[in-house]
Amino acid sequence: MSPADDRRWDPDALGVLLASFTGTEVPAWLRGPLEAGLGGVILFGYNTPDPAACRDLARSVHEAAPGALVTIDEEGGDVTRLQAATGSVLPTAWALGAVDDTDLTRRAARALGDVLAACDVDLDLAPVLDVSADPRNPVIGTRAFGDEPDRVTRHARALAIGLREAGVGSCGKHFPGHGATHVDSHTALPAIDLPVEELARDHLAPWALAPWLDAVMTAHVLVPALGEGPASIAPWSRPLLDRVAGDWGFRGLVVTDALDMAAVAEDPGFAEAVVRAVEAGAHLLCLGTSIRRDEQEMLAEAHDAILAAVEAGRLDRAALRERAAETADRAAALRARRRSVPAPRLEEALARLTDVGREAAARAVDVGRARLVGPCVRVVDARVRRDHASGARRSVLVEQLRERGYDADEAHDPGDVADADTVLVVTRLPRADAEEGRVLAEVLARRPDAVVVHVGVPGAAPRGDRVVLALGHGPAMLGAALDAMIRGTGR
């Protein structure tokens, strides 16, 4: 018998949990928790092979539990769930920041919000408010609007406004800032060892936007200058958020980053992290994906850990009930707003999203003097991790080349480049990742005329006059870069 079957679900414990599940239909085991008061669900790429599947699934969740929030991690650019199979038609946040047209960012967000509204999604886990101050950062990179707090603030606000215009909720992440780390919290616990003054100036400043957001996601990061323990499960995090938010304070939902991530799942452990997150003031505990753990076990373990803490006197039952009620009230307000704005037809919304994505990407990419020569193109992907945020995908660059009539394929050996007219090498962290740097050096030694297509932040790019700053690895960015190289319109 599975852990989620044949049990009495406690609505107070369920009310602060954000669960995941596998597949494109609501599984039988999840219906009991939904009916008993589960706070919400988070959809991942394996739930949404295409936007129509997302729409049908979200509607099914709301039919089973009208009060449950449907959330999704849809930033556009390099982090997409709705278009995980193909790559997002939107540019990255960094690309929007590079163009630095806040009206364009708002229009892109409105187009994205219209798609999410058509899919009946309540809360988007965006915008990213991290200031990408460290080019070595393996998990933020082009997901940030830039490396300057003012630019990040302006564009994050524009994105939140665009989502709200479509009736969709916004969730800023990752408080108090993940941009100065060079460790991925999916695999270990990062630390930001900066003095308070520098933190406030360079990383906390964008969080003054908190009153304009519907939710804030807390990060699994250590910040010794601010207090002990990871921000997502530390008691100092929520009071700090209120102070940064200023006179208005923060009245939205506090959502944790996924609690199955190694940063907290290894120490103090999943169940303990769940309890500490409640103690720290979270409204919704994102439990994580079924990639790392069985989703039924995660839900049951989180539920039981909270109840055990109540029984032991560690958590107060009245306070837990109040938190669950507060979460339900704020979720109801988001659902009411979503229903108050008429949703467009999904096909029309997708078409508008594609159009604004092409416009923004074309304005953002910089191909320098790089050009495509001849019909035969060989692609060498030097990245150790091809998709740092949403799982591995096939070569988008090869597909984009083929769509444009090129005889393109991917070289799985850096030495297999001799007979191509043009060689393209894809990089993201060539100076910080030794293996990526080695592959790049080997290709350039064999083909000094190779074009480097850099998909990370500009500060991490190799030097040279044939370096393309694509600012992301999705079809919008790579397609715009190829078109600029074909036209010979480098800057």
Side-chain angles (χ1 to χ4, degrees), residues 447-477:
R447 288 293 298 263
D449 62 337
V451 172
V452 178
V453 180
H454 185 70
V455 298
V457 300
R463 304 291 181 253
D465 60 0
R466 282 188 295 275
V467 175
V468 173
L469 297 180
L471 307 181
H473 59 73
M477 305 311 302

Side-chain angles (χ1 to χ4, degrees), residues 97 384 401:
V384 175
L401 283 161

Side-chain angles (χ1 to χ4, degrees), residues 166-368:
V168 175
S170 61
C171 177
K173 59 187 184 187
H174 308 80
F175 184 79
H178 211 313
T181 66
H182 58 273
V183 172
D184 184 348
S185 51
H186 290 87
T187 60
L189 179 59
I192 303 176
D193 195 10
L194 296 173
V196 171
E197 297 78 8
E198 188 173 343
L199 282 166
R201 182 188 68 236
D202 296 340
H203 297 281
L204 290 176
W207 294 98
L209 281 178
W212 285 269
L213 302 170
D214 299 297
V216 163
M217 176 177 282
T218 51
H220 304 319
V221 293
L222 287 173
V223 192
L226 300 178
E228 296 183 359
S232 54
I233 58 174
W236 54 262
S237 181
R238 178 58 196 268
L240 175 66
L241 177 59
D242 285 334
R243 290 199 300 274
V244 173
D247 293 340
W248 290 97
F250 178 65
R251 296 177 175 83
L253 294 166
V254 175
V255 185
T256 70
D257 210 342
L259 295 175
D260 69 329
M261 292 163 64
V264 293
E266 292 183 358
D267 182 15
F270 179 78
E272 176 65 14
V274 165
V275 176
R276 291 192 193 180
V278 176
E279 290 177 324
H283 295 93
L284 284 172
L285 282 56
C286 179
L287 301 184
T289 79
S290 62
I291 294 174
R292 290 179 284 270
R293 287 196 55 188
D294 180 86
E295 64 269 27
Q296 293 178 255
E297 291 181 355
M298 284 195 295
L299 180 59
E301 186 176 350
H303 172 271
D304 293 352
I306 293 173
L307 288 188
V310 170
E311 292 169 3
R314 184 175 171 184
L315 293 177
D316 179 73
R317 166 66 78 171
L320 176 64
R321 182 166 297 158
E322 183 179 352
R323 184 84 51 78
E326 186 179 4
T327 302
D329 287 345
R330 294 177 184 179
L334 283 172
R335 287 291 297 145
R337 185 205 300 165
R338 165 74 292 286
R339 292 191 296 267
S340 71
V341 180
R345 292 180 62 250
L346 180 56
E347 296 76 10
E348 295 172 355
L350 285 168
R352 287 195 294 271
L353 185 71
T354 301
D355 289 343
V356 72
R358 285 174 178 162
E359 175 192 348
R363 293 173 63 182
V365 298
D366 182 358
V367 302

